[in-house]
Amino acid sequence: MIKWGKCDFSELEELEKKMEKLAKIDIERFCQDVARELAARLLAKVIPRTPVGEGSFETIEGKRYTIKSGGTLRRGWTANSEDEAESGSVPDATTYAKSLKILRLGNNFVIVVENPVKYASYVEYGHRQEPGRYVPALGKRLKASWVEGKYMLTISEKELESQLPALLERKMKKYIEECFNNG
């Protein structure tokens, strides 16, 4: 009769327990955390890239009076309404990203980042205007028939998209290490 010898399976049993723990992790919570982090990173990129206007002015008897200060569009990224953006009482990007609602559509987790300011799309993509028309708020006549967009969100999305694989790999590696080291 042949003897097979002795073998210590304790490490394999320990690995099996860790793999079971890894299989039981809350993937939905992990995906939501990643979605919120991506939203915060997108906001961190788009907010500084958003142009700030000089504000609204009114000219009375040759004097210019400020009606609204600039920055409404920039504050709009973390505001729930245009009025909130105008008032200036908006949270920082990370706090706002944590408050965003996450929708699950099949295997996809969707988080919506939008700017409620009514002219945001015109600044993003550009717009037409009537050359020669006088704009009292600016105190000038319009010159060009087309104003080129700033593409602040489009550029920020593309930047984030290029960083996405490395970011997800780091997050997954950290999450798996936590499961294996805390087991």
Side-chain angles (χ1 to χ4, degrees):
M1 183 186 247
I2 301 174
K3 279 193 162 185
W4 284 89
K6 292 186 178 185
C7 190
D8 183 15
F9 290 104
S10 62
E11 288 183 17
L12 282 175
E13 289 168 353
E14 187 177 322
L15 178 63
E16 179 187 24
K17 288 177 186 172
K18 288 180 179 180
M19 294 299 277
E20 285 175 8
K21 182 179 179 187
L22 188 61
K24 292 178 184 175
I25 61 170
D26 189 0
I27 293 294
E28 189 156 332
R29 186 180 59 81
F30 173 76
C31 291
Q32 288 177 351
D33 290 345
V34 169
R36 283 196 173 90
E37 183 175 336
L38 290 174
R41 285 175 181 263
L42 179 63
L43 288 169
K45 289 179 180 301
V46 76
I47 290 172
R49 194 170 268 135
T50 303
V52 176
E54 46 182 271
S56 299
F57 303 95
E58 186 176 310
T59 307
I60 302 172
E61 298 174 7
K63 292 184 179 181
R64 255 172 84 158
Y65 295 95
T66 302
I67 298 171
K68 289 189 237 172
S69 62
T72 301
L73 184 61
R74 186 175 280 186
R75 288 187 301 270
W77 291 112
T78 57
N80 293 316
S81 68
E82 186 168 355
D83 292 336
E84 191 178 310
E86 285 177 356
S87 72
S89 60
V90 294
D92 65 290
T94 307
T95 306
Y96 181 73
K98 287 179 182 175
S99 73
L100 289 173
K101 186 177 179 182
I102 299 174
L103 303 169
R104 184 166 184 182
L105 303 172
N107 289 333
N108 298 317
F109 289 83
V110 178
I111 191 164
V112 178
V113 175
E114 64 183 346
N115 194 322
V117 178
K118 63 184 168 217
Y119 56 87
S121 64
Y122 299 111
V123 176
E124 174 73 14
Y125 300 113
H127 60 91
R128 279 195 262 191
Q129 59 186 15
E130 186 182 324
R133 192 184 89 199
Y134 181 74
V135 180
L138 298 174
K140 303 179 192 176
R141 293 196 177 279
L142 301 175
K143 295 179 182 173
S145 62
W146 177 258
V147 176
E148 190 63 37
K150 300 296 181 187
Y151 302 105
M152 59 259 179
L153 183 60
T154 305
I155 293 168
S156 299
E157 285 176 342
K158 295 248 186 268
E159 254 182 39
L160 188 62
E161 200 173 298
S162 69
Q163 298 169 354
L164 193 60
L167 180 90
L168 288 175
E169 187 177 331
R170 276 196 314 270
K171 293 287 283 180
M172 284 295 291
K173 186 176 180 182
K174 182 181 173 189
Y175 207 67
I176 290 170
E177 283 176 359
E178 281 179 16
C179 285
F180 275 71
N181 293 336
N182 294 338

PDB file of all heavy atoms in Angstrom, residues 68-69 72 75-76 79 81-90 117-119:
ATOM      1  N   LYS A  68     -26.600  91.691  -9.195  1.00  0.00           N
ATOM      2  CA  LYS A  68     -26.168  90.367  -8.736  1.00  0.00           C
ATOM      3  C   LYS A  68     -24.671  90.249  -8.974  1.00  0.00           C
ATOM      4  O   LYS A  68     -24.157  90.745  -9.977  1.00  0.00           O
ATOM      5  CB  LYS A  68     -26.835  89.247  -9.538  1.00  0.00           C
ATOM      6  CG  LYS A  68     -28.278  89.035  -9.291  1.00  0.00           C
ATOM      7  CD  LYS A  68     -28.700  87.771 -10.001  1.00  0.00           C
ATOM      8  CE  LYS A  68     -29.821  88.084 -10.968  1.00  0.00           C
ATOM      9  NZ  LYS A  68     -30.161  86.972 -11.804  1.00  0.00           N
ATOM     10  N   SER A  69     -23.981  89.577  -8.057  1.00  0.00           N
ATOM     11  CA  SER A  69     -22.564  89.328  -8.280  1.00  0.00           C
ATOM     12  C   SER A  69     -22.406  88.094  -9.162  1.00  0.00           C
ATOM     13  O   SER A  69     -23.324  87.292  -9.292  1.00  0.00           O
ATOM     14  CB  SER A  69     -21.844  89.116  -6.946  1.00  0.00           C
ATOM     15  OG  SER A  69     -22.369  87.986  -6.303  1.00  0.00           O
ATOM     16  N   THR A  72     -22.831  82.659 -10.202  1.00  0.00           N
ATOM     17  CA  THR A  72     -24.047  81.855 -10.062  1.00  0.00           C
ATOM     18  C   THR A  72     -23.904  80.525 -10.790  1.00  0.00           C
ATOM     19  O   THR A  72     -24.275  79.481 -10.258  1.00  0.00           O
ATOM     20  CB  THR A  72     -25.273  82.619 -10.602  1.00  0.00           C
ATOM     21  OG1 THR A  72     -25.406  83.835  -9.867  1.00  0.00           O
ATOM     22  CG2 THR A  72     -26.541  81.805 -10.468  1.00  0.00           C
ATOM     23  N   ARG A  75     -21.568  78.233  -8.776  1.00  0.00           N
ATOM     24  CA  ARG A  75     -22.236  77.724  -7.566  1.00  0.00           C
ATOM     25  C   ARG A  75     -23.372  76.763  -7.914  1.00  0.00           C
ATOM     26  O   ARG A  75     -23.762  75.936  -7.103  1.00  0.00           O
ATOM     27  CB  ARG A  75     -22.780  78.901  -6.738  1.00  0.00           C
ATOM     28  CG  ARG A  75     -21.712  79.704  -6.037  1.00  0.00           C
ATOM     29  CD  ARG A  75     -22.320  80.734  -5.100  1.00  0.00           C
ATOM     30  NE  ARG A  75     -23.209  81.676  -5.775  1.00  0.00           N
ATOM     31  CZ  ARG A  75     -22.829  82.833  -6.314  1.00  0.00           C
ATOM     32  NH1 ARG A  75     -21.567  83.202  -6.266  1.00  0.00           N
ATOM     33  NH2 ARG A  75     -23.712  83.631  -6.898  1.00  0.00           N
ATOM     34  N   GLY A  76     -23.883  76.868  -9.144  1.00  0.00           N
ATOM     35  CA  GLY A  76     -24.992  76.017  -9.576  1.00  0.00           C
ATOM     36  C   GLY A  76     -24.666  74.534  -9.568  1.00  0.00           C
ATOM     37  O   GLY A  76     -25.563  73.694  -9.462  1.00  0.00           O
ATOM     38  N   ALA A  79     -25.847  73.298  -6.273  1.00  0.00           N
ATOM     39  CA  ALA A  79     -27.129  73.853  -5.822  1.00  0.00           C
ATOM     40  C   ALA A  79     -28.273  72.988  -6.330  1.00  0.00           C
ATOM     41  O   ALA A  79     -28.162  72.314  -7.343  1.00  0.00           O
ATOM     42  CB  ALA A  79     -27.283  75.285  -6.339  1.00  0.00           C
ATOM     43  N   SER A  81     -31.288  74.455  -6.916  1.00  0.00           N
ATOM     44  CA  SER A  81     -32.117  75.338  -7.744  1.00  0.00           C
ATOM     45  C   SER A  81     -31.296  76.560  -8.132  1.00  0.00           C
ATOM     46  O   SER A  81     -30.258  76.850  -7.523  1.00  0.00           O
ATOM     47  CB  SER A  81     -33.367  75.775  -6.982  1.00  0.00           C
ATOM     48  OG  SER A  81     -33.004  76.623  -5.915  1.00  0.00           O
ATOM     49  N   GLU A  82     -31.785  77.279  -9.112  1.00  0.00           N
ATOM     50  CA  GLU A  82     -31.078  78.500  -9.542  1.00  0.00           C
ATOM     51  C   GLU A  82     -31.106  79.553  -8.437  1.00  0.00           C
ATOM     52  O   GLU A  82     -30.120  80.263  -8.227  1.00  0.00           O
ATOM     53  CB  GLU A  82     -31.708  79.052 -10.820  1.00  0.00           C
ATOM     54  CG  GLU A  82     -30.932  80.208 -11.391  1.00  0.00           C
ATOM     55  CD  GLU A  82     -31.344  80.591 -12.795  1.00  0.00           C
ATOM     56  OE1 GLU A  82     -32.191  79.911 -13.402  1.00  0.00           O
ATOM     57  OE2 GLU A  82     -30.806  81.592 -13.293  1.00  0.00           O
ATOM     58  N   ASP A  83     -32.223  79.639  -7.708  1.00  0.00           N
ATOM     59  CA  ASP A  83     -32.314  80.602  -6.600  1.00  0.00           C
ATOM     60  C   ASP A  83     -31.258  80.317  -5.534  1.00  0.00           C
ATOM     61  O   ASP A  83     -30.641  81.234  -4.992  1.00  0.00           O
ATOM     62  CB  ASP A  83     -33.710  80.566  -5.965  1.00  0.00           C
ATOM     63  CG  ASP A  83     -34.780  81.113  -6.903  1.00  0.00           C
ATOM     64  OD1 ASP A  83     -34.424  81.914  -7.799  1.00  0.00           O
ATOM     65  OD2 ASP A  83     -35.951  80.730  -6.744  1.00  0.00           O
ATOM     66  N   GLU A  84     -31.063  79.038  -5.242  1.00  0.00           N
ATOM     67  CA  GLU A  84     -30.052  78.645  -4.254  1.00  0.00           C
ATOM     68  C   GLU A  84     -28.655  79.027  -4.748  1.00  0.00           C
ATOM     69  O   GLU A  84     -27.820  79.493  -3.975  1.00  0.00           O
ATOM     70  CB  GLU A  84     -30.139  77.136  -4.012  1.00  0.00           C
ATOM     71  CG  GLU A  84     -29.335  76.640  -2.832  1.00  0.00           C
ATOM     72  CD  GLU A  84     -29.502  75.151  -2.617  1.00  0.00           C
ATOM     73  OE1 GLU A  84     -30.651  74.672  -2.584  1.00  0.00           O
ATOM     74  OE2 GLU A  84     -28.465  74.473  -2.483  1.00  0.00           O
ATOM     75  N   ALA A  85     -28.399  78.844  -6.046  1.00  0.00           N
ATOM     76  CA  ALA A  85     -27.098  79.200  -6.623  1.00  0.00           C
ATOM     77  C   ALA A  85     -26.877  80.710  -6.566  1.00  0.00           C
ATOM     78  O   ALA A  85     -25.767  81.169  -6.291  1.00  0.00           O
ATOM     79  CB  ALA A  85     -27.005  78.702  -8.060  1.00  0.00           C
ATOM     80  N   GLU A  86     -27.932  81.476  -6.823  1.00  0.00           N
ATOM     81  CA  GLU A  86     -27.818  82.936  -6.781  1.00  0.00           C
ATOM     82  C   GLU A  86     -27.562  83.434  -5.372  1.00  0.00           C
ATOM     83  O   GLU A  86     -26.814  84.382  -5.169  1.00  0.00           O
ATOM     84  CB  GLU A  86     -29.085  83.585  -7.330  1.00  0.00           C
ATOM     85  CG  GLU A  86     -29.193  83.510  -8.834  1.00  0.00           C
ATOM     86  CD  GLU A  86     -30.488  84.094  -9.362  1.00  0.00           C
ATOM     87  OE1 GLU A  86     -31.357  84.507  -8.554  1.00  0.00           O
ATOM     88  OE2 GLU A  86     -30.627  84.139 -10.596  1.00  0.00           O
ATOM     89  N   SER A  87     -28.175  82.790  -4.384  1.00  0.00           N
ATOM     90  CA  SER A  87     -28.025  83.244  -2.997  1.00  0.00           C
ATOM     91  C   SER A  87     -26.637  82.953  -2.442  1.00  0.00           C
ATOM     92  O   SER A  87     -26.185  83.622  -1.528  1.00  0.00           O
ATOM     93  CB  SER A  87     -29.080  82.587  -2.104  1.00  0.00           C
ATOM     94  OG  SER A  87     -28.772  81.220  -1.907  1.00  0.00           O
ATOM     95  N   GLY A  88     -25.969  81.945  -2.993  1.00  0.00           N
ATOM     96  CA  GLY A  88     -24.615  81.627  -2.539  1.00  0.00           C
ATOM     97  C   GLY A  88     -24.555  80.635  -1.399  1.00  0.00           C
ATOM     98  O   GLY A  88     -23.477  80.276  -0.940  1.00  0.00           O
ATOM     99  N   SER A  89     -25.680  80.156  -0.917  1.00  0.00           N
ATOM    100  CA  SER A  89     -25.680  79.211   0.200  1.00  0.00           C
ATOM    101  C   SER A  89     -25.676  77.775  -0.332  1.00  0.00           C
ATOM    102  O   SER A  89     -26.686  77.085  -0.297  1.00  0.00           O
ATOM    103  CB  SER A  89     -26.895  79.443   1.098  1.00  0.00           C
ATOM    104  OG  SER A  89     -28.081  79.264   0.344  1.00  0.00           O
ATOM    105  N   VAL A  90     -24.532  77.351  -0.852  1.00  0.00           N
ATOM    106  CA  VAL A  90     -24.419  76.007  -1.419  1.00  0.00           C
ATOM    107  C   VAL A  90     -23.327  75.225  -0.686  1.00  0.00           C
ATOM    108  O   VAL A  90     -22.360  75.802  -0.217  1.00  0.00           O
ATOM    109  CB  VAL A  90     -24.106  76.058  -2.938  1.00  0.00           C
ATOM    110  CG1 VAL A  90     -25.258  76.651  -3.699  1.00  0.00           C
ATOM    111  CG2 VAL A  90     -22.838  76.815  -3.218  1.00  0.00           C
ATOM    112  N   VAL A 117     -28.934  76.108 -13.279  1.00  0.00           N
ATOM    113  CA  VAL A 117     -28.960  77.475 -13.791  1.00  0.00           C
ATOM    114  C   VAL A 117     -29.430  77.440 -15.248  1.00  0.00           C
ATOM    115  O   VAL A 117     -28.910  76.673 -16.053  1.00  0.00           O
ATOM    116  CB  VAL A 117     -27.570  78.141 -13.657  1.00  0.00           C
ATOM    117  CG1 VAL A 117     -27.569  79.539 -14.239  1.00  0.00           C
ATOM    118  CG2 VAL A 117     -27.147  78.167 -12.198  1.00  0.00           C
ATOM    119  N   LYS A 118     -30.409  78.269 -15.581  1.00  0.00           N
ATOM    120  CA  LYS A 118     -31.090  78.163 -16.877  1.00  0.00           C
ATOM    121  C   LYS A 118     -30.184  78.377 -18.087  1.00  0.00           C
ATOM    122  O   LYS A 118     -30.439  77.845 -19.150  1.00  0.00           O
ATOM    123  CB  LYS A 118     -32.285  79.109 -16.927  1.00  0.00           C
ATOM    124  CG  LYS A 118     -31.931  80.565 -16.828  1.00  0.00           C
ATOM    125  CD  LYS A 118     -33.170  81.441 -16.777  1.00  0.00           C
ATOM    126  CE  LYS A 118     -32.779  82.848 -16.377  1.00  0.00           C
ATOM    127  NZ  LYS A 118     -33.741  83.472 -15.527  1.00  0.00           N
ATOM    128  N   TYR A 119     -29.101  79.107 -17.955  1.00  0.00           N
ATOM    129  CA  TYR A 119     -28.233  79.375 -19.094  1.00  0.00           C
ATOM    130  C   TYR A 119     -26.995  78.472 -19.130  1.00  0.00           C
ATOM    131  O   TYR A 119     -26.091  78.669 -19.952  1.00  0.00           O
ATOM    132  CB  TYR A 119     -27.810  80.848 -19.132  1.00  0.00           C
ATOM    133  CG  TYR A 119     -27.144  81.340 -17.867  1.00  0.00           C
ATOM    134  CD1 TYR A 119     -25.777  81.197 -17.663  1.00  0.00           C
ATOM    135  CD2 TYR A 119     -27.893  81.967 -16.881  1.00  0.00           C
ATOM    136  CE1 TYR A 119     -25.172  81.653 -16.505  1.00  0.00           C
ATOM    137  CE2 TYR A 119     -27.296  82.432 -15.719  1.00  0.00           C
ATOM    138  CZ  TYR A 119     -25.933  82.274 -15.545  1.00  0.00           C
ATOM    139  OH  TYR A 119     -25.340  82.718 -14.405  1.00  0.00           O
TER     140      TYR A 119
END
